[in-house]
Amino acid sequence: MMKCSNMLWAFSQSAVLFLVIACGAASAQTMQEHVHNTGHMVMPFDLSKTTHIFRMTDTGGVERVVAKDETAADQVALIQQHLQHEAQAFQHGDYGDPASLHGASMPGLREMAAGAARIKVTYTVLPTGAEITFETTDIHLLTAIHRWFGAQLSEHGADAKSE
């Protein structure tokens, strides 16, 4: 009888441990899910109705955000408002919005903030959204921009693509 109750106790403990691990794994979000689900806290437009497009260049890169529906004037206006604000902040080394969404340790972010005076940031309005162009002659900042773009591509998941 004692042996049977010990086995039952061990089995029940194993079952509880399994459930705790399984439930914890089920509730954990991937970074892509986190960005998609909390992006509205930083970006006023709807991530499911827009696409982030990242193009790395020899001098930096271009981040473009466009509405999936060209007639969605509300989304286009929100994209343009947000990217204009971000471009101004980036020019002054303020990468607080991306850091709050992606984390302060996001690849390239610290270097870009510290080297802001050596990065030219340009905002451009597009018919379906807007874009920000990052340009530098500093090889370390160029690498930081490319690392930052790569991290964003990864973390935005299905809401982003490279060009």
Side-chain angles (χ1 to χ4, degrees):
M1 182 74 158
M2 185 69 139
K3 200 171 210 178
C4 185
S5 84
N6 284 344
M7 286 176 58
L8 186 57
W9 182 85
F11 175 77
S12 66
Q13 293 302 310
S14 296
V16 168
L17 180 61
F18 172 78
L19 288 173
V20 167
I21 291 170
C23 289
S27 66
Q29 278 190 330
T30 66
M31 190 55 159
Q32 290 176 352
E33 290 168 331
H34 167 76
V35 169
H36 183 81
N37 294 334
T38 60
H40 67 278
M41 298 165 102
V42 174
M43 298 171 277
F45 48 84
D46 186 335
L47 282 174
S48 65
K49 295 180 180 180
T50 60
T51 302
H52 280 68
I53 304 163
F54 296 94
R55 181 169 45 95
M56 295 181 203
T57 67
D58 292 340
T59 58
V62 180
E63 175 182 6
R64 182 180 307 140
V65 181
V66 295
K68 291 177 182 175
D69 177 358
E70 296 176 4
T71 65
D74 60 331
Q75 294 300 308
V76 172
L78 291 170
I79 292 166
Q80 292 172 348
Q81 170 194 348
H82 177 68
L83 264 61
Q84 183 175 31
H85 167 79
E86 291 299 277
Q88 291 170 349
F90 296 163
Q91 189 65 63
H92 295 99
D94 179 359
Y95 288 83
D97 282 348
S100 70
L101 180 60
H102 298 277
S105 63
M106 184 179 200
L109 225 113
R110 284 191 189 119
E111 296 90 340
M112 292 172 66
R118 297 184 315 277
I119 301 173
K120 180 181 177 188
V121 179
T122 309
Y123 166 78
T124 305
V125 172
L126 301 172
T128 58
E131 68 183 21
I132 301 174
T133 302
F134 299 83
E135 297 176 288
T136 188
T137 57
D138 182 313
I139 190 70
H140 299 292
L141 291 174
L142 176 63
T143 301
I145 292 167
H146 289 178
R147 289 179 63 223
W148 187 53
F149 274 28
Q152 288 198 73
L153 272 166
S154 173
E155 294 181 8
H156 279 277
D159 298 321
K161 65 181 184 176
S162 64
E163 194 174 72

